[in-house]
Amino acid sequence: MDSRPRETDAPGDPANGAAPPLAAAVTAATGDVEIIRPRNDKRGYRRVVLPNSLECLLISDPDTDKAAASMNVSVGYFCDPDGLEGLAHFLEHMLFYASEKYPEEDSYSKYIAEHGGSTNAFTSSEHTNFYFDVNSDSLHDALDRFAQFFIKPLMSPDATLREIKAVDSENQKNLLSDPWRMSQLQKHLCAENHPYHKFSTGNWNTLEVKAKEKGLDTRLELIKFYDSHYSANLMQLVVYGKDSLDNLQNLVENKFCDIRDVGRKPFSFPGHPCTPEHLQVLVKAVPIKQGHTLRILFPITPNIRCYKEGPCKYISHLIGHEGEGSLFYVLKKLGWAMSLEAGEGDWSHDFSFFCVVIQLTDVGQEHMEDTLGLLFRYIKLLQNSGTPKWIFDELQAICETGFHYRDKSPPINYVVNISSNMQIFPPKDWLIASSVPSKFSPDAIQNVLNELTPETVRIFWESKKFEGKTKLAEPWYGTSYSVEVVPPSIIQKWVGKAPEEDLHLPKRNIFIPSDLSLRSVEEKVSFPAMLRKTQFSRLWYKPDTMFFTPKAYIKMDFHCPLSQSSPESAVLTDVFTRLLMDYLNDYAYDAQVAGLYYVVKPNDTGFQVTMVGFNDKMRTLLETVIGKIAEFEVKADRFSVIKEAMTKEYENFKFRQPYQQVLYYCSLILEDQTWPWDEEFSALSHLEASDLGIFLPHLLSKTFIECYFAGNIEPNEANNIVQHVEDVLFNAPISACKPLSPSQHLAKRIVKLEKGLRYYYPAMCSNHQDENSALLHYIQTHQDNVKQNVLLQLLALVGKQPAFHQLRSVEQLGYIALLRQRNDSGVRGLQFIIQSTVKDPANLDARVENFLNMFESNVYNMSDAEFKSNVSALIDMKLEKYKNIREESAFFYGEISEGTLKFDRKEAEVAALRELKKEELVGFFNDHVKVNAPQKKILSIQVYGGLHSAEYETIVQNAPPPPSCEITDIYGFRRSRPLYGSFRGGVGQMKL
């Protein structure tokens, strides 16, 4: 596929090759600029430049429930002083702590959390971005705190030392991550005098040990860096709220006018990171995980210099195509590739790389030279094809429709995207950026195509097969690698001996929507209604009464009792869904390109088909998917490729981060009728194509389909589609599908923990190289109940920031230290998750208990005003409107899938919150959460990393102290415990 950046929601589609007229322009209040915006965007926009040269974009959205802001600072790790790697990133961390105006440590994050919001930041090569969202009526105070980052931050010596440890912990988390390792290897094999070569994150060694060796005080260097680099003229601010533009302007002028403008010139880093010695190279690298990856990089002219012409978008569309005649189509047919992506990779205004990433099969690994030969042959085909205009027109139409009918995204994502764009694009293009190529320039396309040559190529080939055959090591992550020169003459030989395959340009895209009209809705419907019910299926329907876009959402859950009856059947169901997607790809790839997304995947009762996007061609695609299910044939060659891919995924399970492993063990212990990964892996190893051929008719022999249709679709059409599905699957002369008996309807049920007991499950980290340990401390409270739900949610809201501050900021236990709610099929509770190299999991467990003892006073001493403020923050969060059809459908289908059918859940919980008393919160805490509470039910999952193996040996050898109980056999434990009843019943939605 083409790996260009995508919107969070579906990129759009065109009107049958004819591009819609470009967006309406919004005139800024200053009259000096027009900002191009989507046709269906009713928000107000205004560009403002403050006297201190801070450039701002104000966005007024009277319908929003969330306000947000993002400050982009045009300073990144490229500016790190030599020998102080990670300083820019460290500064990003430090600005969160405290300011002269708000000296209480962590008060900013506390305020945001208590007012329904979230906050974060990131540092990239040339910018650092700080952002938050908050309930809309709290924007003023949140902005006041946020602005102090850039006016007078406090960087206390104590906080400085603690936060260096946090940066180090963040780096520890990444040390065994292949994406981080390979990215740094690419940077390492570049010119040392170019900032691209740098190590961006920083760690204890760079920020503390080496700094001291050089006689540097890191805190003083930090302040010096801030004073000289953070200047208002290098900042771009976006503020999104429900106030009028005039009020937002007054607010921003008032809060941000005191940021200093030191007249810092914008930083520039001319020159390319790669000199001739870094080109024409083949780098073999040893990854952590199983798999073979081929990354082919070419230095090119940055697309940003001609983004209206969009040459990279055009080229990545073709090289990343997956339809007939494409490079991927041929590699897949040969059994050599599992996936292919193409697009612009790392880039700045001064340099860029075009990147092709191919995941190879084991056979493909043996045919690397042929694979590269086919790639260069396809590039030569494009270079000689003369850039047909119809391909550009089609791409432009797809991109324009996507822009005009772009779904609303959460304000926090929107402001980050725009503030980042402000550093790069002129004001009129801040919203559209480079998403829509608007000028057809064969020369611009040809120029970039001509840069994809054997003379400039960098080939990175990753595989465990190179273990023991590489002599070099990248210094920051320790990745083993070797380098050899690959002159163009060698690549020409590979091109010559590659198999003769029919590579050609794609055909025209039949999925580009031509009908973008909106269906009429006679009445405003708030909730889904059941349109039809038969012995084969049930159809829920919800028209679009909120978003008014030509998009729909379809979910079809195939309930098949056999799908989860054993590890073998679970694996075969997974193989079946992957093969189905594999068979559909050549035909349906165009649908994805045109903004119509689909996926077929297994779930806990069978498998599901999901579609979302432009509704115009959705029925065509759905009927094709159903037809493939009805006529499914097992192709042995594709079965082998899917089996190989799944085998690698199972093998890579042990390389998951410890915090992911504790989440896995928690689900395995709590969820009845789930199978452990090692048993599924064992089952997969002896399965053959013939096993799937035998299994599939049995899988479908008892089926019930739960359907949900929403959006721009009429009830008769939904009815007709479901009738068609029934006719094809159940009513055909020869049909594998038979209806499900009422007694066979499946329900996921959850283990009920025992009151007053603390269960714990210790395990060694499955990757012995990983030094990190992890804890999941779960407190099970209740099964779905409106009053108890809101008490739990309120407690989580009140506790989230104090837990983070104490466990992460003060005690420095690790970069990941979270308090969250947990919901397993309606059974709810609180969970603490900590990943650490500092303390072993049993010690982390003790720190959680210690925190809960400290937190008691927060709960008991909460003032009435504070209680009301937290309640009203939670109410605001619950009343937040859905932003797009996906969000709305996810909530309603969740109620259907769980069997709760409480479509008015939010309204009911808001009503309960309005009646809630502080004493009830204290009572809930005392009964369920407080240390030694009488009703308390605890499950402590402990994964011990390499640094804590001795502690693991001790804990498994020692007898558990009362009232603790060690789980030594997960499945025996599951069988011995009672289960909560399920809300999910049969066709009539009976309660179990």
Side-chain angles (χ1 to χ4, degrees):
M1 64 183 283
D2 134 31
S3 66
R4 60 206 154 94
R6 296 182 182 277
E7 291 301 319
T8 329
D9 297 307
D13 329 16
N16 237 1
L22 196 57
V26 182
T27 307
T30 50
D32 64 343
V33 68
E34 290 186 327
I35 299 173
I36 297 168
R37 73 176 182 196
R39 265 201 306 270
N40 65 347
D41 188 350
K42 304 294 188 284
R43 293 169 286 205
Y45 294 87
R46 180 181 295 174
R47 172 182 177 263
V48 172
V49 181
L50 302 190
N52 59 358
S53 301
L54 174 65
E55 193 170 29
C56 314
L57 180 66
L58 314 174
I59 307 173
S60 171
D61 179 0
D63 295 329
T64 193
D65 308 294
K66 274 278 195 285
S70 170
M71 178 73 90
N72 186 77
V73 185
S74 302
V75 176
Y77 73 80
F78 276 11
C79 292
D80 282 349
D82 289 337
L84 267 175
E85 293 86 356
L87 193 69
H89 176 226
F90 178 42
L91 177 59
E92 170 226 302
H93 277 238
M94 284 302 300
L95 293 186
F96 278 77
Y97 261 92
S99 63
E100 201 170 280
K101 185 171 181 181
Y102 296 100
E104 185 190 340
E105 202 173 275
D106 227 31
S107 66
Y108 160 74
S109 300
K110 183 171 184 285
Y111 181 87
I112 298 290
E114 287 174 351
H115 293 83
S118 58
T119 176
N120 214 329
F122 62 85
T123 304
S124 69
S125 57
E126 296 188 70
H127 66 157
T128 307
N129 201 300
F130 303 84
Y131 53 94
F132 72 86
D133 67 358
V134 73
N135 291 339
S136 55
D137 58 357
S138 305
L139 177 63
H140 292 228
D141 286 344
L143 271 184
D144 195 51
R145 288 163 167 78
F146 184 64
Q148 300 308 311
F149 285 21
F150 315 102
I151 297 170
K152 283 198 174 169
L154 289 181
M155 301 189 225
S156 71
D158 176 47
T160 302
L161 195 63
R162 278 188 279 125
E163 206 54 29
I164 291 176
K165 290 178 183 172
V167 169
D168 188 64
S169 178
E170 184 178 354
N171 182 58
Q172 285 273 357
K173 173 181 72 71
N174 301 333
L175 285 179
L176 298 178
S177 160
D178 282 327
W180 283 93
R181 292 165 71 86
M182 296 309 161
S183 170
Q184 192 64 45
L185 181 58
Q186 288 164 36
K187 295 173 183 180
H188 179 64
L189 296 174
C190 282
E192 289 188 26
N193 61 356
H194 194 284
Y196 183 70
H197 181 79
K198 291 180 176 180
F199 167 53
S200 60
T201 314
N203 58 25
W204 180 259
N205 202 33
T206 66
L207 294 169
E208 177 65 13
V209 178
K210 284 190 174 172
K212 277 203 169 130
E213 284 171 3
K214 290 178 180 149
L216 298 175
D217 181 322
T218 304
R219 178 171 170 269
L220 294 180
E221 294 300 317
L222 195 68
I223 293 167
K224 193 193 305 179
F225 186 87
Y226 177 84
D227 287 343
S228 65
H229 289 64
Y230 271 49
S231 176
N233 70 308
L234 296 185
M235 298 181 184
Q236 299 85 28
L237 174 69
V238 181
V239 176
Y240 188 114
K242 70 190 316 170
D243 297 28
S244 69
L245 288 171
D246 287 342
N247 287 348
L248 287 174
Q249 182 167 343
N250 288 336
L251 180 64
V252 164
E253 286 172 346
N254 180 272
K255 304 293 183 194
F256 292 88
C257 61
D258 291 334
I259 299 177
R260 293 174 317 130
D261 174 17
V262 299
R264 190 58 143 120
K265 285 186 180 168
F267 294 94
S268 68
F269 306 93
H272 200 282
C274 292
T275 62
E277 68 180 285
H278 305 113
L279 306 175
Q280 296 180 29
V281 292
L282 170 61
V283 180
K284 294 176 181 172
V286 182
I288 297 292
K289 292 187 173 182
Q290 293 290 345
H292 321 291
T293 306
L294 203 49
R295 291 174 207 277
I296 305 98
L297 287 82
F298 303 90
I300 58 163
T301 305
N303 198 67
I304 190 64
R305 296 187 193 170
C306 46
Y307 66 93
K308 294 287 188 191
E309 292 81 2
C312 277
K313 197 173 279 287
Y314 179 98
I315 295 165
S316 62
H317 170 66
L318 294 177
I319 294 180
H321 209 279
E322 297 184 13
E324 192 178 334
S326 68
L327 175 62
F328 179 68
Y329 178 86
V330 165
L331 292 174
K332 181 179 149 183
K333 190 176 81 171
L334 291 165
W336 295 353
M338 295 178 185
S339 68
L340 184 152
E341 295 186 356
E344 196 173 22
D346 290 341
W347 63 271
S348 76
H349 205 278
D350 294 292
F351 71 88
S352 179
F353 294 98
F354 190 86
C355 190
V356 181
V357 183
I358 305 171
Q359 296 293 338
L360 298 170
T361 62
D362 289 344
V363 178
Q365 170 76 1
E366 305 304 315
H367 286 274
M368 183 278 288
E369 296 174 3
D370 291 330
T371 299
L372 276 170
L374 285 166
L375 168 63
F376 277 99
R377 193 180 294 167
Y378 191 71
I379 289 170
K380 182 59 83 177
L381 168 75
L382 298 183
Q383 289 167 341
N384 296 336
S385 291
T387 59
K389 187 169 186 296
W390 71 266
I391 295 177
F392 180 87
D393 291 343
E394 207 174 75
L395 191 58
Q396 181 185 26
I398 287 169
C399 294
E400 282 209 336
T401 311
F403 177 69
H404 282 299
Y405 294 101
R406 182 186 286 175
D407 289 339
K408 253 191 175 181
S409 58
I412 193 168
N413 296 351
Y414 197 55
V415 295
V416 170
N417 285 340
I418 297 171
S419 68
S420 301
N421 288 345
M422 287 168 71
Q423 181 183 349
I424 300 162
F425 298 96
K428 71 184 175 70
D429 293 330
W430 282 349
L431 305 187
I432 198 168
S434 60
S435 64
V436 181
S438 54
K439 295 179 186 169
F440 179 53
S441 169
D443 288 347
I445 295 166
Q446 199 67 47
N447 288 343
V448 175
L449 277 171
N450 290 342
E451 291 177 306
L452 310 183
T453 69
E455 283 73 24
T456 59
V457 75
R458 286 158 56 87
I459 304 162
F460 289 80
W461 187 11
E462 304 155 28
S463 174
K464 288 280 218 188
K465 298 235 166 168
F466 302 138
E467 221 152 11
K469 300 172 187 171
T470 52
K471 298 280 187 338
L472 302 169
E474 187 279 317
W476 298 109
Y477 292 82
T479 307
S480 295
Y481 72 97
S482 65
V483 184
E484 53 198 80
V485 176
V486 185
S489 57
I490 294 281
I491 288 178
Q492 293 309 337
K493 280 185 190 166
W494 295 349
V495 173
K497 74 178 186 65
E500 288 299 325
E501 293 288 340
D502 183 20
L503 292 164
H504 58 80
L505 295 177
K507 61 185 188 310
R508 292 178 187 268
N509 190 335
I510 62 165
F511 284 100
I512 294 176
S514 47
D515 177 7
L516 295 166
S517 62
L518 298 181
R519 309 290 186 260
S520 59
V521 179
E522 290 174 15
E523 54 180 315
K524 189 165 173 65
V525 180
S526 299
F527 304 132
M530 198 192 299
L531 269 195
R532 63 179 266 150
K533 184 169 72 174
T534 70
Q535 60 178 328
F536 309 115
S537 73
R538 178 168 47 185
L539 168 61
W540 298 89
Y541 170 73
K542 167 73 174 66
D544 177 11
T545 56
M546 190 183 293
F547 312 111
F548 308 110
T549 59
K551 296 181 181 181
Y553 182 102
I554 292 176
K555 175 86 79 176
M556 303 185 96
D557 257 353
F558 287 72
H559 294 289
C560 310
L562 196 61
S563 67
Q564 293 294 322
S565 59
S566 68
E568 284 82 2
S569 59
V571 170
L572 284 166
T573 304
D574 193 358
V575 175
F576 160 63
T577 60
R578 292 179 190 230
L579 272 174
L580 188 58
M581 290 286 287
D582 185 75
Y583 296 170
L584 286 162
N585 194 59
D586 306 341
Y587 168 77
Y589 175 75
D590 277 345
Q592 310 251 30
V593 170
L596 174 50
Y597 297 94
Y598 74 100
V599 67
V600 187
K601 64 180 184 183
N603 63 9
D604 59 1
T605 58
F607 65 96
Q608 64 183 202
V609 177
T610 309
M611 291 189 180
V612 60
F614 292 95
N615 58 272
D616 181 31
K617 307 289 196 301
M618 195 175 271
R619 180 170 186 168
T620 307
L621 181 58
L622 181 61
E623 290 182 355
T624 304
V625 173
I626 299 300
K628 282 277 186 205
I629 293 172
E631 300 160 6
F632 193 86
E633 288 177 34
V634 183
K635 298 175 184 170
D637 60 333
R638 297 312 299 163
F639 178 92
S640 299
V641 170
I642 297 296
K643 179 178 175 178
E644 183 190 319
M646 289 176 65
T647 299
K648 289 186 171 70
E649 286 175 28
Y650 280 112
E651 287 172 339
N652 288 332
F653 179 90
K654 59 177 169 288
F655 299 115
R656 294 209 290 187
Q657 294 228 14
Y659 80 88
Q660 295 169 316
Q661 292 181 37
V662 290
L663 284 162
Y664 159 76
Y665 284 126
C666 191
S667 296
L668 191 63
I669 288 169
L670 292 176
E671 294 174 9
D672 190 40
Q673 211 55 27
T674 49
W675 309 108
W677 74 275
D678 52 343
E679 288 184 15
E680 291 186 357
F681 186 20
S682 174
L684 175 66
S685 64
H686 65 250
L687 291 174
E688 301 299 336
S690 57
D691 295 308
L692 182 58
I694 295 164
F695 170 76
L696 200 56
H698 293 292
L699 175 73
L700 298 172
S701 66
K702 287 290 185 177
T703 304
F704 180 80
I705 312 174
E706 186 90 72
C707 308
Y708 177 83
F709 284 55
N712 194 39
I713 191 165
E714 289 175 338
N716 322 345
E717 191 182 356
N719 248 318
N720 292 341
I721 292 171
V722 174
Q723 184 61 58
H724 172 82
V725 171
E726 287 190 8
D727 288 345
V728 170
L729 294 179
F730 295 95
N731 301 328
I734 301 174
S735 168
C737 295
K738 298 287 181 287
L740 196 58
S741 311
S743 62
Q744 290 181 289
H745 280 262
L746 294 178
K748 181 182 280 188
R749 299 183 63 186
I750 302 302
V751 165
K752 185 183 278 191
L753 299 176
E754 192 166 330
K755 292 174 188 172
L757 262 186
R758 174 184 165 273
Y759 295 101
Y760 65 97
Y761 179 72
M764 271 306 290
C765 181
S766 49
N767 176 14
H768 301 308
Q769 285 178 279
D770 202 325
E771 297 185 341
N772 290 282
S773 291
L775 167 78
L776 189 154
H777 181 102
Y778 170 58
I779 303 167
Q780 193 177 71
T781 55
H782 68 283
Q783 189 174 25
D784 192 38
N785 168 288
V786 168
K787 169 65 80 66
Q788 289 189 300
N789 291 353
V790 297
L791 285 165
L792 178 71
Q793 290 157 9
L794 189 59
L795 197 61
L797 177 69
V798 173
K800 175 184 166 185
Q801 196 54 35
F804 178 83
H805 179 62
Q806 181 62 31
L807 302 172
R808 153 82 150 70
S809 304
V810 176
E811 299 189 31
Q812 286 296 318
L813 296 176
Y815 181 70
I816 296 170
L818 308 167
L819 167 60
R820 286 182 176 167
Q821 297 172 66
R822 185 179 176 100
N823 181 357
D824 299 277
S825 302
V827 176
R828 298 172 186 243
L830 286 173
Q831 62 180 3
F832 291 83
I833 301 168
I834 307 173
Q835 183 165 293
S836 178
T837 53
V838 180
K839 292 194 182 293
D840 69 86
N843 247 308
L844 296 175
D845 214 37
R847 299 320 303 156
V848 168
E849 299 262 302
N850 186 63
F851 166 75
L852 286 172
N853 279 327
M854 292 169 58
F855 182 59
E856 271 184 41
S857 60
N858 294 45
V859 178
Y860 296 162
N861 301 332
M862 191 187 299
S863 68
D864 289 342
E866 209 178 336
F867 175 77
K868 282 176 185 160
S869 167
N870 282 307
V871 166
S872 104
L874 188 53
I875 287 173
D876 287 348
M877 290 161 75
K878 290 195 168 299
L879 293 177
E880 196 177 328
K881 299 182 191 80
Y882 304 112
K883 280 164 277 307
N884 52 60
I885 192 80
R886 292 182 195 221
E887 278 190 16
E888 181 189 74
S889 299
F891 172 76
F892 287 134
Y893 194 76
E895 292 293 327
I896 293 165
S897 158
E898 295 290 357
T900 40
L901 300 183
K902 198 153 186 58
F903 298 132
D904 65 344
R905 176 179 298 278
K906 293 187 176 186
E907 293 79 359
E909 291 185 347
V910 165
L913 277 166
R914 295 196 199 281
E915 300 294 316
L916 206 64
K917 295 181 174 56
K918 186 185 135 188
E919 296 72 44
E920 293 174 294
L921 182 67
V922 172
F924 183 82
F925 177 79
N926 284 341
D927 287 346
H928 297 285
V929 180
K930 178 180 173 177
V931 175
N932 298 325
Q935 306 282 318
K936 191 160 182 181
K937 298 182 282 188
I938 303 173
L939 174 61
S940 172
I941 312 288
Q942 306 174 358
V943 165
Y944 288 75
L947 289 179
H948 301 125
S949 52
E951 288 88 341
Y952 171 75
E953 294 301 331
T954 304
I955 199 163
V956 294
Q957 285 164 14
N958 290 351
S964 294
C965 177
E966 183 183 351
I967 298 172
T968 52
D969 170 11
I970 288 176
Y971 318 105
F973 171 77
R974 248 175 23 187
R975 285 189 290 270
S976 71
R977 293 300 310 150
L979 304 174
Y980 282 97
S982 170
F983 293 104
R984 188 156 69 191
V987 181
Q989 210 63 29
M990 304 169 296
K991 292 280 173 96
L992 291 187

